[in-house]
Structures are given as C-alpha cells and as structure tokens.
Amino acid sequence: MPIANCWLLPCYNLSLMFTRPPGFTYKNDELHCDGLAINKLAKKFGTPLYLYSATAIRERYRVLEGAFHHVKHTLCYSVKANSNLSILRLLAGMGAGFDIVSGGELERVRRAHKKSLSKVVFSGVGKTADELRLALRSGILLFNVESEGELELLAACAAELRKVADIALRVNPDVPAETHPYISTGLREHKFGVPMSSARELCRRAAQHKYLRVAGVSLHIGSQIGDVTPFHLAMERAVDLALELLADGHKIRFIDAGGGLGISYNSSAPIEFNDLAHRYEEAITEPLLRMKKPIPHLLLEPGRSIIAPAGALITRVLYLKRNGNKRFTIVDAAMNDLIRPSLYQARHEITPVNLVKGRSERVQSDIAGPVCESGDFLARDAILPAVAQGENLCILDAGAYGMSLASNYNSRPRSAEVLVDGTRARLIRRRETMKDLLQQEAACL
Ligand SMILES: *Cc1c(COP(=O)(O)O)cnc(C)c1O
C-alpha cells in the first residue's frame, strides 16, 4: 500500500491512489522501510534516525541507467547529496562513477570503492593545490575546471607530478532553471563555471600546457529542476561549443551534462520517475546525437534524483504545545539534522509511523525541533492526524542533502544512519556521542 499523505491533503486516504517508489510503505497500518517495521528500528537504533532503503536506491539507479542505455554514458553519482560510505559502495557495485567537489569526497570514494577512482569527475570553484595533487595522484577521470586561475594551478600541479590531466571546462550556459535561487547555478550571475564566450580561448591556452589535455565540455545548471527544457537548452549550447572545440583540434571525448534532476516532495503531485527519466534522457541526448560519430561519452551527475526518495528521517514527538492559536509539535530532530526546510523553504511530507484506526481528527501545527532558533522547523503548518507524545514521525524524501548537511549546532550529536535491505538492517553510521564532539577541543587557560 502506498504511503499516506498527511500533509497538504485533508484526507490521507486519498493518497492510496498515489504510488511511491518501494522503500517506505504501510503494512498493517505501520510504516515499514523495505521489509522492516520502522518503530522497531527506532527502538533499536534510537531517534532521530536516518533510514535508507537499498531497494529504492537500486531501483532509482536502474531507472536512470535504463533510460540512457542506448548512448555511451556513465552515471557519476554526486557524492555531496549523501556521502555515506555504504551508500557509495552500493552504487559503485552497480557501476556508478562519482562526482566530487572536495578532496574529502575523493577520500570517501577511495574508502568506499578504490577502483572507482578512475570514474571520478572533480567539480567545484575552489579546488586547492593539495586537492588537485591528490586527484592527480588518484588517477581520476576528469577535472571540471571552473576558472582560468584553476587551469594554471592544475597545469603547474600536473607538471610537478608529471601526470597528464584530462580536463573539461565547466561552462556557464546562462539558462534559467526554475528552482530555489540558492540551488540555481547556470546563470551568468552565479559563481560557477566560465562564460561560454571565453571557453574557446581558455581551451586554446590549456592545450599549450604539456600536462593538460582538453577532453570535454561540462556544465551543471542547478538542482531540483522538474522541467526538462533547461537541460535541453543547456545541452544544445554544450554541443555547439563541443563542435567548435573539435574544429579547433581538441579531442572532445566527454560531454558532462551535470546533475539537477528534481523529484516530487509531495505525494499528491507525484512524478512517475520512469517517465521523467525518459523525458530527461530525450532532452539531453537529442542535441548530443546530432554530433558526428564517434559521439562523446556522456557523463551525468545525478544526486538527489537517486537518493532523496530512498531516505527518511525518523523523529519522536517530545511535546505538544500551543502558543495562543498556534500549535507546535516539538520533535527530537531539528534543523541541525535536516536543514532543508530552514535553508531552502523546502517542504517535506511528514507522516506518522502508526496509522491509528479511528483517528480522524486533523491538526495543523508547526513541526519544530529543540534548536534555539525560530528558523528551526521541519515543517510549517503541517496537517497531520492528532499524534501523541512519544509517537514516531517519518519525514519523507530526506535521503539527499539531509545527513550530508547535518551539523552539531547546539552541541547536538548527529544521528545514526541505517541502511535497510529487505529484512536486514545495517548500521552504516553510529550515532555520535558527546565524546566524539568534544575530542577535537581543548579547554585552555
Ligand atoms: C550538486 C551537484 C550535482 C548534483 O545535483 P543534484 O541536484 O543532487 O542532482 C551535480 N553536479 C555538480 C557539479 C553539483 O555541484
């Protein structure tokens, strides 16, 4: 039975019509993650708790993989969306490459699956010399270079190590993508990439360096993009540039279309993923297939679209309170565990783990955590069944940019993470302790 929608819709039974990916479903009125009852997991591992469904991760990966089966491609999972080692290893085992944005993420890939280092693309506007050297020594696939300064520094590091670096300029295609301003990246005014107009000249200069090889064109226009048109526009520009670069004598072997495919955070407006993946594939490959053979190898950097719906944050109701007319459900998870609602005004669906028969009353309240900030909320004006103190709630679609953005604000140890595969639950990150938090510090004087 598909998940109940307890937010936005007055009646959550309506949601029985909607389908969600496997992973979080009710059985006998109790929410399960894959084959395991969430209340039991919460009891065993404590709350707040991040839960991931291995089945859902595999399914999402396969759908994307399947959509692009007729073009040479590699899905380079974007590590920053969720960088847990077990999740990286699961994806590496399915053939994924990785998109990284720091030396730290490179070390995670090495630890998770060393052989996958050769399938790593390195993005980011602020790579340091140490990070570039680390990546050169690791033999990664491609450097997505974002400025002239980076080009020069990479050339120097590569010469020092006598290692040839394959590079793609990350261009800024100047296409608007309808998403939250903080996660839009493909406009001229954003810090990312180099302008299309200077790309040819920069590539000409790069080619003069003995240890740099211009091997591709790359772009990434933003995140949580639900309409495929911007991807198509951006790809057209990338292909135009690739053709110019080929004419200039560069061997363009890769086109990196970035990530950014969105998901539905609202089960009353579901997106059929198979269908979206196919529309996305058409938008991206239509310009690509206009190129003469051999068609460059397509790189994609999906993060959210694979991992977001495969994860949830489980939290326990601590208190129910009322200030004037406003009601609050105070839970044990907070903005330090999941910052998306506070940072991006993101709306996550929240549902009780138990569907209690006969509980028909709906209550509107803010779901807020213990952190001392008014901006600390997980949902504003959520409409839920009247839950009781001690019950567990499930914050859905929290697999991406959840744990990876978690902090220790208010000296709160970060949650445990559990990966459920069928009827097996594995602790993939233990809950932090106060000892973990304090050990880097000294109480001087
Ligand atoms: C964040 C990021 C991605 C992943 O974006 P999603 O929206 O999670 O798919 C891909 N590429 C680059 C360069 C990024 O910065």
Side-chain angles (χ1 to χ4, degrees):
M1 153 172 160
I3 200 137
N5 173 38
C6 296
W7 191 25
L8 301 172
L9 270 189
C11 172
Y12 59 92
N13 287 333
L14 278 179
S15 68
L16 301 185
M17 300 182 297
F18 306 133
T19 52
R20 290 189 67 86
F24 295 88
T25 47
Y26 283 101
K27 286 172 203 157
N28 305 324
D29 289 341
E30 190 188 343
L31 195 59
H32 284 59
C33 177
D34 273 19
L36 296 177
I38 289 180
N39 280 327
K40 276 205 189 123
L41 293 167
K43 195 160 180 194
K44 178 161 181 201
F45 298 103
T47 54
L49 176 67
Y50 271 103
L51 284 182
Y52 308 104
S53 152
T55 312
I57 298 172
R58 288 194 200 100
E59 158 150 336
R60 310 267 316 170
Y61 183 85
R62 284 200 192 109
V63 166
L64 267 186
E65 202 37 70
F68 286 90
H69 74 98
H70 64 288
V71 283
K72 277 185 301 160
H73 71 278
T74 305
L75 299 183
C76 295
Y77 168 74
S78 179
V79 173
K80 75 177 188 294
N82 187 316
S83 52
N84 184 284
L85 294 176
S86 296
I87 287 172
L88 301 186
R89 185 169 289 180
L90 192 162
L91 289 165
M94 297 185 76
F98 296 97
D99 166 51
I100 60 160
V101 293
S102 71
E105 289 187 348
L106 185 67
E107 289 310 300
R108 283 184 174 275
V109 172
R110 189 192 315 282
R111 190 72 84 80
H113 198 258
K114 197 165 175 211
K115 280 195 183 142
S116 299
L117 287 171
S118 61
K119 294 192 206 172
V120 163
V121 298
F122 194 176
S123 307
V125 288
K127 306 178 191 82
T128 64
D130 282 346
E131 289 177 317
L132 292 173
R133 283 189 208 107
L134 188 67
L136 282 162
R137 284 198 202 95
S138 306
I140 68 164
L141 182 68
L142 191 66
F143 290 82
N144 286 337
V145 173
E146 304 214 16
S147 65
E148 185 177 355
E150 184 188 334
L151 198 68
E152 297 303 327
L153 182 58
L154 179 60
C157 294
E160 175 194 313
L161 298 174
R162 296 170 201 270
K163 291 215 186 270
V164 174
D166 276 335
I167 66 157
L169 273 195
R170 171 159 172 196
V171 291
N172 189 325
D174 199 26
V175 295
E178 252 183 57
T179 185
H180 190 278
Y182 288 6
I183 50 178
S184 173
T185 57
L187 278 180
R188 222 179 318 216
E189 70 237 39
H190 296 133
K191 69 176 176 183
F192 299 99
V194 300
M196 295 292 285
S197 54
S198 51
R200 260 177 112 167
E201 171 58 20
L202 278 175
C203 284
R204 192 185 63 74
R205 255 182 268 168
Q208 290 169 352
H209 288 286
K210 194 168 151 202
Y211 290 96
L212 297 185
R213 196 158 55 194
V214 178
V217 171
S218 110
L219 54 84
H220 170 72
I221 56 173
S223 198
Q224 183 52 11
I225 300 165
D227 172 14
V228 301
T229 315
F231 293 114
H232 185 250
L233 274 175
M235 254 326 257
E236 283 191 313
R237 292 183 190 172
V239 165
D240 287 347
L241 175 62
L243 292 172
E244 287 177 0
L245 295 176
L246 281 164
D248 291 346
H250 304 288
K251 295 205 170 63
I252 301 300
R253 291 178 287 132
F254 300 106
I255 293 197
D256 182 342
L261 188 63
I263 67 147
S264 169
Y265 282 93
N266 174 359
S267 67
S268 62
I271 301 176
E272 216 285 290
F273 189 48
N274 217 355
D275 184 49
L276 177 65
H278 279 95
R279 281 186 285 126
Y280 176 63
E281 176 275 321
E282 271 170 29
I284 286 190
T285 58
E286 193 272 327
L288 185 69
L289 295 177
R290 274 193 262 134
M291 294 184 75
K292 273 208 303 267
K293 289 192 177 141
I295 289 178
H297 190 101
L298 177 66
L299 298 171
L300 296 156
E301 303 170 349
R304 186 194 311 270
S305 55
I306 290 176
I307 196 70
L313 175 59
I314 311 305
T315 184
R316 188 164 53 91
V317 176
L318 296 176
Y319 301 103
L320 299 165
K321 65 183 278 185
R322 216 181 160 135
N323 290 352
N325 281 334
K326 188 130 183 119
R327 290 175 194 251
F328 294 89
T329 305
I330 307 293
V331 296
D332 65 358
M335 66 188 288
N336 74 295
D337 301 299
L338 179 65
I339 203 175
R340 299 189 67 261
S342 307
L343 189 62
Y344 309 124
Q345 289 123 28
R347 293 166 70 89
H348 283 262
E349 208 165 290
I350 300 180
T351 188
V353 173
N354 278 101
L355 294 182
V356 180
K357 286 214 171 61
R359 178 162 72 177
S360 57
E361 191 201 352
R362 319 260 108 202
V363 178
Q364 179 169 334
S365 75
D366 281 10
I367 316 285
V371 161
C372 297
E373 296 272 349
S374 293
D376 174 35
F377 55 86
L378 297 158
R380 283 239 152 110
D381 298 321
I383 298 171
L384 257 75
V387 294
Q389 228 173 341
E391 268 191 69
N392 288 318
L393 302 182
C394 175
I395 305 170
L396 289 159
D397 303 313
Y401 307 106
M403 187 60 180
S404 62
L405 269 82
S407 77
N408 295 118
Y409 187 41
N410 279 209
S411 289
R412 288 168 52 84
R414 280 175 291 179
S415 311
E417 291 179 288
V418 167
L419 179 64
V420 181
D421 194 354
T423 54
R424 184 156 175 205
R426 290 195 190 82
L427 183 64
I428 58 173
R429 191 181 206 271
R430 68 164 170 80
R431 186 175 302 284
E432 277 176 341
T433 61
M434 270 322 291
K435 197 170 163 205
D436 294 326
L437 265 65
L438 293 175
Q439 71 187 359
Q440 283 105 294
E441 280 177 54
C444 287
L445 304 177

